[in-house]
Amino acid sequence: MSEKPRVRFAPSPTGNLHVGNARTALFNWLFARHYGGDFVVRIEDTDRARTFEKFEKGIIEDLRWLGIVWDEGPEKDGEFGPYHQFERIDIYNRYLKELVDEDNVYPCYCTEDELEAERNALLSRKVMPRYMGKCRNLTDEERRRLESEGRSPAFRFKVPEGVVEFNDLIRGPMKFDCDVIGDFIIVRSNGIPAYNFAVVIDDHLMKITHVIRGEDHLSNTPLQLLLYKALGFEPPLFAHHSLILGKDRSKLSKRHGAVSVSDFRDRGVLPEALLNYLSLLGGSFAGTREICSVDEIIEEFSLERAGRSGAIFDEGKLEWLNKAYIRNYSTPKLTELLVPFIEDAGYNCDTIDRKWLHSVVEAIRDNLGTFSEIGDYIDVFFDERYEVSGDAAQILKEEYAGAVVKSLHDALISEECAEDDLYRCVMDIVSSKTGFKGKKLFMPVRAAITGKTWGPELDRLFAILGKETLLKRVKQAIATVYGS
Ligand code: GLU
């Protein structure tokens, strides 16, 4: 690449950061890092009715959490600011004036109702709806008259005849017929620029060399290219990547479940796992390795691979990666990350001995797909949560189980087994008394001491719970199930 690339991520703060948009940000960031370029974040906040500060804050927080760091943008001034579109209105107005003066743009006085009526008329004739140019050739006098009625105009770009062609870096040669475009609004009647206009001015002034975005913006590109031409700007290169799809191959949306970065953070997915997953999705790096460091992902990144075909979001795979990343953490560090999730599950961590909590985390850490599952796994360690579930009661009611539970009770009550060898000693006794091994031995023991049919390894449970607690639980199970 001859010149130093400059790319941008341009979110509209009208909602939480969707994983699809996070992936766009990631591609831009990886591209910049791979080629030693600059990565700009620009906030597209011109839709005043739908823009909220909390969303901007959330997007910024999510990007930082993922480790996607920008060189210029909010809270990081550079020489091409301001980086909020709403602070750039004067700039857009300058270019609007230029386009009006050169007769590339005209005022349009049509009301919403008039436009709607035109749209419906076209649809009923089975013609693709577009603006048919009603205000294109108004005389000065007609304009004055409409203004005297109190109408303030929007400004429309005069779409010329012909075709717009460009070479998409991911999708190859693209060709659009201007016939179907229709004169489009570049500044609304309230003086706020439309997306297609503001984006062209900003990308030009911010010296953006590559526009990398989702294919949902592909149909905007010809409009933007027409503006580049009219303004005499050199256009950037464009790359439209595929979108993330749900399992049914439709665009990933809320009805598929978790879709925003904060949804995944709240569930306790690690940022490095999500970043790794989003890079992997759509085959954006080569090789068969799936767990890669950020440096490897940057090194391997290529736009061509960044997804031509739709990428299906697979939560199972993300969870698998998350498990792999959980393994990288020491138990004390992992425990600290888990504390908010443990609190959410209803425990007060200030009252729990940290060393004891470490041993609990140690016992269940390999089971966790996401941190929010912690509540399901740790309750067996807390007496106040002990109760015999229906499944466990079923097992305990089996004829063979009664003998196991009785021997377990007797072994725990006897002085025979020491605390530090409890599991082996108790199980040996129960096995030799009942003659059972394997499932017939383990299932009733598990059911009696945890009240559940699944959970952490029994040896860990014995070590953490200790003789006294185990005995108390076995007595409770006996009372619950056998009534004595
Ligand atoms: N604000 C637009 C969006 O959030 C940006 C599109 C673009 O990258 O040009 O979709």
Side-chain angles (χ1 to χ4, degrees):
M1 206 159 294
S2 55
E3 71 184 314
K4 183 173 155 182
R6 282 177 60 79
V7 290
R8 77 336 183 247
F9 174 56
S12 304
T14 55
N16 294 329
L17 183 64
H18 185 283
V19 282
N21 286 336
R23 183 160 164 261
T24 304
L26 176 64
F27 285 168
N28 278 282
W29 178 72
L30 291 172
F31 186 85
R33 292 294 167 268
H34 182 91
Y35 292 105
D38 294 328
F39 173 57
V40 180
V41 169
R42 181 175 69 230
I43 304 293
E44 304 210 323
D45 53 357
T46 53
D47 184 347
R48 301 311 288 171
R50 293 173 59 225
T51 289
F52 288 96
E53 206 183 315
K54 65 169 184 192
F55 291 134
E56 179 180 333
K57 282 204 175 118
I59 292 168
I60 286 176
E61 193 182 321
D62 289 345
L63 290 174
R64 288 207 171 115
W65 177 75
L66 280 167
I68 299 178
V69 180
W70 50 102
D71 305 300
E72 294 163 38
E75 297 168 26
K76 193 145 189 203
D77 260 348
E79 56 176 305
F80 301 98
Y83 294 94
H84 285 78
Q85 287 190 326
F86 199 59
E87 293 170 22
R88 300 171 65 81
I89 302 288
D90 291 348
I91 303 177
Y92 309 128
N93 280 336
R94 273 206 319 269
Y95 288 98
L96 171 66
K97 186 168 180 319
E98 200 176 283
L99 288 171
V100 173
D101 289 349
E102 284 165 10
D103 201 24
N104 280 317
V105 154
Y106 60 87
C108 167
Y109 298 90
C110 295
T111 61
E112 283 299 328
D113 289 346
E114 287 164 351
L115 293 171
E116 180 71 17
E118 177 180 77
R119 211 182 126 77
N120 290 336
L122 289 171
L123 280 172
S124 67
R125 281 166 39 212
K126 300 210 165 25
V127 177
M128 199 162 68
R130 59 187 187 277
Y131 186 68
M132 300 302 279
K134 189 172 164 202
C135 294
R136 200 192 242 237
N137 298 311
L138 294 179
T139 61
D140 285 347
E141 205 194 314
E142 285 168 319
R143 285 179 182 156
R144 270 195 298 277
R145 185 177 54 74
L146 287 160
E147 267 169 43
S148 71
E149 284 174 15
R151 298 193 189 208
S152 45
F155 287 89
R156 286 189 185 268
F157 181 73
K158 280 187 183 170
V159 174
E161 285 178 358
V163 289
V164 180
E165 289 181 85
F166 70 97
N167 190 35
D168 190 281
L169 295 177
I170 294 174
R171 309 165 70 90
M174 293 282 139
K175 191 171 174 179
F176 294 85
D177 201 329
C178 290
D179 263 4
V180 294
I181 297 179
D183 296 347
F184 57 91
I185 290 180
I186 63 162
V187 174
R188 298 180 204 290
S189 58
N190 60 5
I192 303 285
Y195 156 72
N196 278 311
F197 182 49
V199 86
V200 166
I201 307 290
D202 290 345
D203 285 342
H204 170 71
L205 293 179
M206 293 180 181
K207 293 198 168 17
I208 298 303
T209 58
H210 298 72
V211 169
I212 305 166
R213 60 187 173 198
E215 67 182 4
D216 48 341
H217 283 291
L218 192 59
S219 59
N220 287 319
T221 306
L223 281 62
Q224 293 172 15
L225 283 166
L226 289 171
L227 286 171
Y228 276 101
K229 194 159 175 219
L231 288 158
F233 299 160
E234 172 84 19
L237 295 169
F238 290 92
H240 293 90
H241 61 75
S242 63
L243 302 181
I244 302 183
L245 308 176
K247 284 225 161 82
D248 57 359
R249 299 202 72 89
S250 70
K251 194 175 154 187
L252 187 72
S253 69
K254 282 208 179 95
R255 71 194 166 79
H256 292 105
V259 286
S260 69
V261 170
S262 52
D263 288 339
F264 291 104
R265 183 176 49 205
D266 293 348
R267 271 189 196 187
V269 169
L270 288 162
E272 53 270 50
L274 187 55
L275 189 112
N276 193 153
Y277 181 67
L278 292 176
S279 328
L280 194 76
L281 193 63
S284 28
F285 49 79
T288 47
R289 284 195 49 212
E290 301 199 302
I291 298 170
C292 298
S293 70
V294 172
D295 286 344
E296 285 169 321
I297 295 171
I298 292 171
E299 174 77 29
E300 290 285 334
F301 181 76
S302 108
L303 252 192
E304 295 71 42
R305 278 197 300 262
R308 271 186 78 133
S309 56
I312 295 186
F313 197 80
D314 178 352
E315 277 197 41
K317 184 87 187 231
L318 173 62
E319 220 167 85
W320 176 82
L321 269 172
N322 202 43
K323 271 192 165 170
Y325 278 96
I326 288 174
R327 253 175 250 134
N328 287 345
Y329 284 88
S330 68
T331 296
K333 181 86 209 281
L334 184 62
T335 306
E336 293 323 305
L337 293 175
L338 283 166
V339 161
F341 295 88
I342 297 174
E343 300 247 333
D344 272 356
Y347 302 91
N348 177 359
C349 289
D350 293 340
T351 61
I352 303 172
D353 177 68
R354 266 300 194 269
K355 258 186 119 171
W356 183 81
L357 192 57
H358 287 171
S359 54
V360 167
V361 169
E362 183 70 37
I364 52 100
R365 52 178 295 155
D366 288 345
N367 297 105
L368 289 180
T370 62
F371 291 172
S372 58
E373 292 167 4
I374 186 85
D376 296 338
Y377 289 102
I378 61 167
D379 56 356
V380 293
F381 296 99
F382 292 85
D383 267 357
E384 66 272 23
R385 304 260 172 144
Y386 176 84
E387 65 181 14
V388 182
S389 72
D391 287 353
Q394 192 112 32
I395 287 172
L396 293 172
K397 279 182 187 146
E398 299 275 342
E399 214 180 297
Y400 74 89
V404 174
V405 175
K406 183 172 183 323
S407 319
L408 176 63
H409 172 269
D410 294 348
L412 285 167
I413 221 162
S414 76
E415 294 294 310
E416 253 173 277
C417 299
E419 245 357 306
D420 60 1
D421 190 28
L422 198 58
Y423 176 69
R424 193 201 54 81
C425 174
V426 168
M427 294 307 266
D428 278 356
I429 295 175
V430 179
S431 179
S432 66
K433 285 256 168 72
T434 59
F436 296 144
K437 285 200 185 75
K439 247 181 133 179
K440 274 194 157 176
L441 173 68
F442 297 121
M443 283 311 275
V445 171
R446 175 179 294 285
I449 68 166
T450 68
K452 290 184 170 188
T453 53
W454 55 274
E457 300 292 331
L458 282 178
D459 54 345
R460 290 181 188 271
L461 278 164
F462 269 68
I464 294 171
L465 294 174
K467 211 178 197 175
E468 201 186 311
T469 301
L470 291 172
L471 185 59
K472 199 163 72 190
R473 291 187 178 190
V474 172
K475 283 182 172 163
Q476 209 170 318
I478 291 171
T480 313
V481 180
Y482 313 112
S484 62

